[in-house]
Amino acid sequence: MQDKAKKLMHISTYGCQMNEHDSEIMRALLEESGYQWTDNIHEADLVVINTCSVREHAEKRVLGLLGNLKHQKEKKPGLIIALGGCMAQNPEIQEFIRKKAPYVDVVFGTRNYHKLPALIKEAEETMSNVFEPTCEDEEIPGILPVHYASRVKAYVTIIYGCNNFCTYCIVPYTRGREKSRPPKEIYEEVVRLADQGFLEVMLLGQNVNSYGKDLEEDINFAKLLKMLDRIPGLARIRYTTSHPRDFTDELIDTIADSEKVCEHFHLPLQAGSNNILKKMNRGYTREDYFKLTEKIRQRVPGASITTDIIVGFPGETDEDFLETLDLVRRVRFDAAYTFIYSPRYGTPAAKMKDDISQEAKKERLKELNQVQNQITLEINQAYEGKTFEILVEGRSKTNSDRWSGRTRTNKIVVFDGEEDLEGKLVDVEIECARTWTLFGFLKNEQKKRNL
Ligand code: SAH
Ligand code: SF4
Ligand code: F3S
């Protein structure tokens, strides 16, 4: 029900889980300051755009949206537009907004999004634009209110920023330096989530295995996982993203011995050629990467391993690309998120000589996807006839008569069920496996687990 006295707000979110979670916080803060959510951007009195810069495509979508909002504001002059997230940190975008898009009222940063209600108020009171794109030097706020998008799983930020400076990547420039949240605060937040009935938490950071390096306490990511693994009521702990270079034996052992940390490893490979890995400043070789995955398979049987791969990095030869294909075939990933290299403003790779045509890059992407999809299908087919514990997330998006959930290995499973199963742990036998989804049937009554 809409409360007519309240102003309506809408937040458009692009990019990674970090942004999704920041938007959940902004929504809660804006609700506290009197706004009411609307799904319909056209009827909103306040539109917040939480942007992503990781590839050109993401930026183009935001620029398109800004064009539409310009027209919306012509019809409704009281409309407030606020732009934050990674694009807001780019000096070129800031210049563009000042000169070409002055209808954007507030520009805020990736480290001061919790001040958004105050910045909006300032813009309204002064009737002028407010520019505060801060990605550094902000005190990390304590536990903030969150409007959780799901009733089943919750995001928890554990570390902000990134210090890695992979040469293609914009993130260290948009999110600032690494800053870990105190372990006690994370622990308290997760206890509270478990008490509220969330069965799964996803720990967030651009490089979660750097966690704790900047803190004085005797803590690292493995130790944090050990602490959280003991929290009663919680069933599953996930994390993203972990860097292959920092994936220590201590961490593998901790995950192997833990009860709640899921048997899913997302380890962005980026490229399978040592020459390209070096140019990317990734800090590992193809041999290191392969050894790491072998170790994981030995210590955590049945684990799934997924990855990110970039094709067409400047100077990537046919031979380099074949090495990527070769490693993909050897490691046998459960899934890969694959991208064509996109030059990013201000990064070292953007200045490197790039003489591969866009056509050739598209061909490489197609070939890589073909190889990977076949492997994904084969791995998924091995799930057929077996039973897995599924955490039910809600109705299936493609067929609302059915339920959808995930295995601990992060495979999406769709199945029938009469009663309300959202947020339940159930056993499902897999009948038919496709590349992106497994289909199965409910094995027994709801599992009674003593969590
Ligand atoms: N911190 C995470 C996520 C970074 S962004 C990590 O280190 O893995 C998510 C993915 O986008 C990256 O893993 C990479 O594969 C891809 N990516 C980043 N910059 C890119 C660029 N300039 N062009 C194409 N893909 C890029
Ligand atoms: Fe970007 Fe590399 Fe940091 Fe990931 S680890 S966010 S790819 S610089
Ligand atoms: Fe995009 Fe920024 Fe996330 S660039 S991927 S929103 S860290």
Side-chain angles (χ1 to χ4, degrees):
M1 272 290 284
Q2 271 183 15
D3 176 348
K4 289 242 160 52
K6 286 193 173 178
K7 285 189 175 172
L8 298 176
M9 56 135 163
H10 181 87
I11 307 178
S12 285
T13 307
Y14 299 80
C16 59
Q17 289 103 329
M18 284 276 179
N19 264 18
E20 283 176 28
H21 184 49
D22 292 350
S23 289
E24 290 180 329
I25 294 173
M26 288 191 275
R27 176 166 169 178
L29 290 168
L30 289 167
E31 277 166 352
E32 279 182 2
S33 66
Y35 282 92
Q36 190 176 4
W37 176 263
T38 173
D39 284 333
N40 182 354
I41 192 169
H42 301 293
E43 66 172 11
D45 303 293
L46 164 68
V47 174
V48 181
I49 318 173
N50 196 2
T51 63
C52 171
S53 295
V54 81
R55 282 169 293 274
E56 193 187 1
H57 177 69
E59 296 203 335
K60 279 202 168 141
R61 287 172 60 205
V62 168
L63 295 174
L65 175 63
L66 274 180
N68 294 341
L69 288 173
K70 181 181 179 201
H71 294 302
Q72 195 167 320
K73 191 155 178 167
E74 279 161 8
K75 287 190 219 129
K76 185 177 178 177
L79 173 66
I80 297 278
I81 302 171
L83 184 134
C86 287
M87 277 172 82
Q89 306 302 151
N90 178 340
E92 276 202 345
I93 298 286
Q94 291 167 7
E95 179 81 357
F96 166 81
I97 290 172
R98 283 184 199 278
K99 296 223 166 105
K100 304 256 173 66
Y103 52 87
V104 174
D105 302 274
V106 176
V107 175
F108 62 98
T110 49
R111 288 273 172 102
N112 63 350
Y113 58 90
H114 53 288
K115 295 192 181 148
L116 183 60
L119 299 176
I120 290 169
K121 203 155 170 249
E122 187 184 330
E124 282 175 328
E125 283 172 4
T126 60
M127 289 176 58
S128 58
N129 300 37
V130 175
F131 252 76
E132 278 205 39
T134 309
C135 78
E136 284 290 355
D137 302 327
E138 280 281 317
E139 262 316 295
I140 298 283
I143 298 182
L144 290 165
V146 185
H147 182 109
Y148 293 101
S150 157
R151 288 197 283 137
V152 184
K153 52 180 191 177
Y155 292 132
V156 177
T157 301
I158 64 165
I159 178 168
Y160 296 87
C162 182
N163 290 356
N164 281 326
F165 292 94
C166 303
T167 54
Y168 51 82
C169 186
I170 193 86
V171 172
Y173 307 89
T174 65
R175 296 264 166 183
R177 296 292 63 74
E178 285 172 1
K179 196 152 188 182
S180 304
R181 286 180 72 198
K184 189 167 166 283
E185 195 177 292
I186 297 169
Y187 184 82
E188 279 167 17
E189 190 167 317
V190 177
V191 166
R192 206 186 53 188
L193 289 166
D195 288 346
Q196 287 170 1
F198 287 94
L199 288 189
E200 178 177 310
V201 289
M202 164 79 95
L203 309 176
L204 295 180
Q206 291 301 338
N207 180 13
V208 289
N209 21 18
S210 278
Y211 177 76
K213 283 185 189 161
D214 57 320
L215 295 177
E216 280 174 12
E217 290 146 89
D218 176 27
I219 188 86
N220 60 22
F221 185 51
K223 290 190 173 112
L224 181 75
L225 286 179
K226 266 187 214 154
M227 271 168 67
L228 302 180
D229 197 48
R230 290 195 291 265
I231 295 178
L234 202 63
R236 294 180 174 190
I237 300 172
R238 299 187 190 277
Y239 53 89
T240 198
T241 303
S242 48
H243 196 299
R245 186 199 53 213
D246 305 327
F247 220 97
T248 59
D249 289 351
E250 183 196 9
L251 186 51
I252 300 176
D253 288 340
T254 301
I255 295 169
D257 298 339
S258 80
E259 181 200 340
K260 302 178 183 193
V261 183
C262 290
E263 297 76 22
H264 169 219
F265 295 78
H266 183 66
L267 292 167
L269 166 66
Q270 312 301 4
S273 131
N274 286 339
N275 172 33
I276 298 297
L277 284 171
K278 195 154 183 223
K279 283 194 187 170
M280 286 178 161
N281 189 30
R282 288 293 288 175
Y284 53 85
T285 61
R286 58 186 273 121
E287 293 79 18
D288 296 334
Y289 188 95
F290 187 68
K291 255 190 238 153
L292 173 63
T293 57
E294 286 292 282
K295 227 187 277 174
I296 289 171
R297 294 204 193 281
Q298 272 170 15
R299 280 296 275 129
V300 191
S304 63
I305 304 180
T306 57
T307 200
D308 293 349
I309 296 171
I310 298 174
V311 299
F313 184 81
E316 184 190 64
T317 61
D318 281 334
E319 289 72 36
D320 290 323
F321 175 63
L322 287 176
E323 292 211 87
T324 298
L325 283 184
D326 176 67
L327 201 55
V328 164
R329 288 193 178 102
R330 281 186 203 210
V331 176
R332 292 184 63 79
F333 293 107
D334 286 77
Y337 299 91
T338 55
F339 311 101
I340 291 182
Y341 167 72
S342 172
R344 302 288 69 212
Y345 176 90
T347 60
K351 295 183 206 90
M352 293 180 191
K353 191 163 166 269
D354 184 2
D355 47 14
I356 313 137
S357 73
Q358 204 58 22
E359 272 316 300
K361 293 184 183 195
K362 280 188 190 153
E363 268 309 306
R364 285 179 191 172
L365 184 73
K366 205 168 126 195
E367 196 177 344
L368 173 61
N369 286 341
Q370 271 166 1
V371 169
Q372 180 54 50
N373 288 347
Q374 180 58 32
I375 296 170
T376 300
L377 185 63
E378 286 165 14
I379 294 176
N380 287 355
Q381 280 168 342
Y383 276 61
E384 289 177 358
K386 296 186 187 137
T387 299
F388 294 89
E389 178 197 88
I390 307 299
L391 175 57
V392 186
E393 293 177 5
R395 292 283 182 189
S396 157
K397 287 201 182 84
T398 46
N399 181 346
S400 59
D401 291 342
R402 314 189 80 187
W403 294 102
S404 173
R406 282 171 203 259
T407 60
R408 286 175 64 96
T409 53
N410 211 34
K411 309 266 179 196
I412 296 176
V413 178
V414 170
F415 60 97
D416 288 322
E418 294 290 318
E419 54 177 318
D420 184 358
L421 294 175
E422 187 172 317
K424 304 268 159 58
L425 284 166
V426 294
D427 279 338
V428 172
E429 183 175 324
I430 307 304
E431 257 185 314
C432 164
R434 303 258 167 80
T435 312
W436 303 113
T437 313
L438 309 177
F439 297 90
F441 57 89
L442 209 51
K443 267 300 269 265
N444 53 6
E445 285 305 296
Q446 181 188 324
K447 276 184 86 166
K448 288 188 187 60
R449 259 184 61 177
N450 197 10
L451 292 167

